[in-house]
Amino acid sequence: MFIVPKTAGGRPWFLGSLVAAGLISAGAGAWFLNAVAPETQAAVVNQPAAPKRPPVEVVEALPQLKERLDRLAAAKQFTGAVLVSKGDQVLFRQVYGKANYEQDTPFGLDTRFRLASVSKQFTAVAVLKLQDEGKLSVDDPVCKWIEPCPAAWAPLRIHHLLSHTSGIPDLMAQAEWGRIRVTHRTPQELTEASARYGLQFEPGTKVRYNNAAFNLAAVIVAKASGQTFEDYLEQSILRPLGMKDTGSDVHDDAQGLAMGYGLFPAGLTPQPIANVSIVAGAGALYSTLDDMLAWNRGLHQGHVLSRKAYADLIADHAPDDMPERRGPHRAYGYGLYVSALGERTSAPFSDRQIYHTGSWAGFRNLVSYQPDEQVTVVVLSNNYHLRDLVLLINQQAMAEALGRPVPAALSR
């Protein structure tokens, strides 16, 4: 029986201390080889056709998740969209609240959300795909591709850009961030701005989350491919996976996007300024529930990258002597993290998950993947201030899909 999408309201993560284990290191290689689908066991550049996409319809086959989300929606505490799949079977797909409260526009199952930093994995994959094509290497000096190149960047490799180990000051550490945030910038202008600063540390010696570095990586993709970053992404990655509702609106106004909101003393407040030009390679993409499912299935089941490139994508690139933050270790891949994310809940479970968060312009997202049982969980919210709730919903969904005890809260 087809059930129409629900309507409800919204209300109040950085996962800055979320967790993981290094994968392509001693003791972890066996897990990787067992967890990755057979297609990735051979080093290939021409991947097999993308998996067939399921019909886009409401599914509510996870009763505990349904009960919790219905309750949250009734109390106007969650607004957004949730999808859960195991293998090629969708276990849950439903939306709650409105895409635009001022225009009284309800969510559809195909509503587009801004991905924010969930976009970083696409930039990293574009670089690795160009490496598979023989057009560049992650070991290339950044100065091979960026001209003119400041002397301070001489030791930088593309690897450092993708692993948050470059030492380049991030956008928010640059002068006049408040003005930059609302002013359109070209990739060249962003590059020139970053080049004016010295490095904050020797490349490869520390991890510091870095949007500016991913913008530089997008510039390198454009130069190595001979196309704009957005065109290469569309033609070489998104289109082959059938991701027709995913893209960037750096140059064009995307249609069908939800409005982003924040929860302030005055109530749920629209956040209309989404200057994605300043995060072109770091957070400019939008997508839908089912496009993100197609992405997870295609990427993690060997339809996008060679075996070696995929291994590099999810390896732990943090320096060995990096001090631990609160909680267990989190592996820093290229635009992705790997950790036992469920250990941050009141009913901890230790399954390794590959994931990334996103927060920008009124949106809060978490897309996770458990490779052993091929479980994808996509939680997209158009309320920026639902950090902890988005994490909890994601892990409640993951636990129920895996048959683990479902946590009631996050651990503190």
Side-chain angles (χ1 to χ4, degrees), residues 64 109 128 296-297:
Q64 294 181 74
L109 297 174
L128 290 170
N296 261 17
R297 294 181 71 204

Side-chain angles (χ1 to χ4, degrees), residues 1-8 56-60 66 70 73 80-82 92-99 105-111 289:
M1 179 175 64
F2 185 83
I3 306 172
V4 296
K6 303 176 185 299
T7 57
V56 179
E57 59 190 16
V58 168
V59 181
E60 295 179 314
K66 171 178 165 50
D70 284 348
V82 180
F92 196 92
R93 185 194 287 111
Q94 185 56 281
V95 292
Y96 304 85
K98 295 182 180 180
T105 305
F107 279 122
L109 297 174
D110 59 351
T111 295
L289 286 177

Side-chain angles (χ1 to χ4, degrees), residues 26-349:
W31 173 82
F32 168 73
L33 291 174
N34 289 330
V36 178
E39 291 90 338
T40 58
Q41 299 298 317
V44 293
V45 175
N46 297 316
Q47 287 76 22
K52 183 180 178 180
R53 294 176 65 131
V56 179
E57 59 190 16
V58 168
V59 181
E60 295 179 314
L62 295 175
Q64 294 181 74
L65 181 64
K66 171 178 165 50
E67 188 277 328
R68 285 174 168 83
L69 287 172
D70 284 348
R71 179 161 32 87
L72 288 168
K76 297 185 177 181
Q77 293 179 335
F78 177 69
T79 176
V82 180
L83 183 147
V84 186
S85 75
K86 188 173 185 179
D88 59 2
Q89 181 182 6
V90 173
L91 303 177
F92 196 92
R93 185 194 287 111
Q94 185 56 281
V95 292
Y96 304 85
K98 295 182 180 180
N100 190 307
Y101 285 87
E102 290 66 45
Q103 298 178 8
D104 196 27
T105 305
F107 279 122
L109 297 174
D110 59 351
T111 295
R112 296 171 170 181
F113 289 74
R114 296 194 183 278
L115 293 181
S117 286
V118 174
S119 304
K120 287 182 171 67
Q121 60 198 277
F122 291 86
T123 303
V125 168
V127 170
L128 290 170
K129 192 162 185 65
L130 285 166
Q131 179 175 263
D132 279 343
E133 295 169 1
K135 295 180 179 178
L136 57 69
S137 166
V138 294
D139 296 322
D140 283 349
V142 169
C143 289
K144 176 179 178 179
W145 297 101
I146 301 295
E147 296 179 353
C149 193
W153 289 5
L156 276 177
R157 300 294 183 264
I158 297 175
H159 157 83
H160 297 126
L161 302 180
L162 301 180
S163 58
H164 300 292
T165 60
S166 69
I168 294 172
D170 194 18
L171 296 173
M172 297 172 207
Q174 296 179 11
E176 300 184 325
W177 161 243
R179 185 165 63 87
I180 292 171
R181 187 174 183 273
V182 296
T183 307
H184 186 274
R185 291 285 192 273
T186 67
Q188 182 65 29
E189 288 171 333
L190 291 171
T191 300
E192 290 171 354
S194 290
R196 288 196 284 268
Y197 298 87
L199 300 182
Q200 295 177 318
F201 54 83
E202 180 184 348
T205 62
K206 295 181 181 179
V207 169
R208 191 165 295 172
Y209 192 82
N210 200 310
N211 294 284
F214 272 80
N215 285 339
L216 286 171
V219 170
I220 292 172
V221 167
K223 291 192 174 182
S225 67
Q227 303 174 263
T228 67
F229 169 69
E230 293 79 15
D231 283 349
Y232 179 78
L233 200 64
E234 163 67 22
Q235 295 173 23
S236 298
I237 297 175
L238 302 180
R239 191 179 299 168
L241 291 175
M243 297 176 66
K244 61 182 177 60
D245 289 312
T246 302
S248 169
D249 61 340
V250 167
H251 303 299
D252 302 299
D253 291 332
Q255 302 299 310
L257 279 170
M259 172 64 72
Y261 292 87
L263 192 62
F264 296 96
L268 201 62
T269 305
Q271 304 294 292
I273 298 176
N275 179 23
V276 295
S277 72
I278 65 168
V279 286
L285 299 188
Y286 57 83
S287 192
T288 64
L289 286 177
D290 279 81
D291 266 16
M292 289 310 299
L293 172 59
W295 171 248
N296 261 17
R297 294 181 71 204
L299 176 63
H300 298 300
Q301 295 176 33
H303 299 275
V304 182
L305 295 174
S306 69
R307 175 186 182 276
K308 181 186 182 302
Y310 181 80
D312 286 344
L313 180 74
I314 64 170
D316 189 357
H317 299 295
D320 293 336
D321 59 351
M322 190 178 95
E324 292 294 336
R325 297 173 178 159
R326 180 174 65 87
H329 178 68
R330 170 176 61 175
Y332 283 79
Y334 290 156
L336 283 166
Y337 302 128
V338 188
S339 78
L341 197 53
E343 290 183 359
R344 290 207 60 207
T345 70
S346 60
F349 56 103

Side-chain angles (χ1 to χ4, degrees), residues 13-19 325-326 330 332 337 344 357 387:
W13 132 23
F14 191 90
L15 308 178
S17 56
L18 299 182
V19 288
R325 297 173 178 159
R326 180 174 65 87
R330 170 176 61 175
Y332 283 79
Y337 302 128
R344 290 207 60 207
T357 61
R387 183 187 69 177

